[in-house]
Amino acid sequence: MPQLSLHSPLGPLTLSEDEGSIVALDWGWGRDQEKTPLLTRAQTMLERYFDGEPESFDLPLAPWGTAYRKTVWAALQHVPYGQTISYAELAAKAGGSARSIGGAMSHNPIPILIPCHRVLGKSHLGGYSGEGGLDDKRYLLRLEGVAL
């Protein structure tokens, strides 16, 4: 499986590709580095994003997960840059409950590109599965201009 790593303000990140789609974005530097056109394009988009340029991440994504989680992640991809949605609002769009939305977010294999950092609790930030936890979530939200 081709992988390509990049430096980011959150630390090293590694993109993984399988059969022409991005399947994972992991914290840490990948062991094997292989530049493919798709991984290079995704790396460039992420670098622009971290430079503060709004990015829509129009990339082929194929996250592995249950049918329900895939439905949640697909709905989440429609939350625009710089905007947020509550767990309850996302549940109304994708089905399930706020709790099940949180479960889907915690298993998102392609964070940032599938922007689970944009999902907030009614009175709190919620959680974040990135290596830096809520500090990473705050960073990403501020980067997108969301007032906390």
Side-chain angles (χ1 to χ4, degrees):
M1 177 181 318
Q3 293 185 318
L4 186 61
S5 299
L6 65 138
H7 295 284
S8 84
L10 304 177
L13 300 173
T14 297
L15 294 155
S16 299
E17 175 184 347
D18 190 36
E19 297 183 11
S21 294
I22 302 293
V23 295
L25 187 150
D26 296 299
W27 268 250
W29 200 264
R31 186 187 73 184
D32 301 319
Q33 300 292 302
E34 181 181 338
K35 286 190 173 192
T36 67
L38 175 59
L39 290 175
T40 301
R41 186 170 144 228
Q43 178 188 40
T44 299
M45 290 176 134
L46 281 165
E47 288 169 345
R48 285 197 311 246
Y49 173 79
F50 286 120
D51 284 341
E53 298 177 32
E55 198 55 72
S56 65
F57 299 120
D58 183 23
L59 296 163
L61 305 177
W64 185 89
T66 65
Y68 175 71
R69 288 177 181 164
K70 288 179 182 182
T71 299
V72 171
W73 299 331
L76 182 54
Q77 290 178 66
H78 295 287
V79 178
Y81 178 98
Q83 295 184 26
T84 61
I85 190 168
S86 73
Y87 291 93
E89 290 170 322
L90 188 54
K93 292 176 186 273
S97 66
R99 182 174 296 237
S100 66
I101 295 296
M105 296 301 96
S106 70
H107 288 89
N108 177 4
I110 314 175
I112 304 171
L113 302 180
I114 299 176
C116 52
H117 60 279
R118 296 180 188 153
V119 182
L120 306 175
K122 286 184 180 179
S123 61
H124 56 86
L125 282 177
Y128 195 66
S129 60
E131 189 170 277
L134 288 179
D135 288 340
D136 286 354
K137 186 171 189 170
R138 285 184 195 94
Y139 177 85
L140 294 168
L141 291 170
R142 286 185 184 120
L143 178 68
E144 294 185 16
V146 175
L148 300 176

